[in-house]
Amino acid sequence: MLRSRPWARWLRKKGDAVEALSAECPHLGCRVGYDESKKNFVCPCHESAFDLEGKVLYGPSPRAMDTLEARVNDGVVEVKFQRFQPQIKDKVEA
C-alpha cells in the first residue's frame, strides 16, 4: 500500500492498473489508516473497519470507502481528487 499527499488517499496496484480509495471515512470524515497486523483499513474515530477493497467490515460507516478515478499516465499515477458527503448511504459528491 502507498499513501500519497497532498490529499489523503490510498493507492493499490492491480495488474497494470491502479485503484484509489479516499482516506476520508464515509462516517464523519476522519482519516482512515491501515492496520498492518490486521491487513485492513481502520478509522480511529469510531472504529469502522474496511477490507482491502474498501468494503465495510464493521462499525458505523454507512458505506464502503469512496473510490476515486485513477490512472497511470507515462509512469505517473494521476488521481482525480473528490470529496463526498459523509453520513449517508449513497456516494454523493460534496
Side-chain angles (χ1 to χ4, degrees):
M1 292 291 169
L2 171 70
R3 185 168 57 185
S4 57
R5 304 276 178 193
W7 296 286
R9 60 200 172 257
W10 287 97
L11 303 175
R12 181 171 66 169
K13 186 175 179 184
K14 229 176 176 184
D16 291 335
V18 170
E19 294 180 339
L21 295 171
S22 173
E24 290 184 15
C25 184
H27 178 231
L28 293 176
C30 297
R31 181 80 37 101
V32 173
Y34 180 70
D35 185 330
E36 181 68 36
S37 66
K38 294 181 181 177
K39 306 286 189 226
N40 65 14
F41 296 105
V42 178
C43 177
C45 295
H46 298 100
E47 300 182 358
S48 288
F50 307 89
D51 69 13
L52 295 179
E53 302 290 323
K55 295 178 184 143
V56 178
L57 295 172
Y58 55 85
S61 181
R63 64 178 183 271
M65 292 172 69
D66 297 314
T67 57
L68 301 169
E69 292 179 41
R71 68 180 181 174
V72 178
N73 186 12
D74 290 328
V76 176
V77 177
E78 299 175 339
V79 178
K80 180 181 177 183
F81 179 73
Q82 294 174 281
R83 295 186 95 168
F84 301 94
Q85 293 181 21
Q87 300 184 13
I88 59 175
K89 184 177 180 176
D90 298 318
K91 181 180 164 183
V92 176
E93 194 166 0

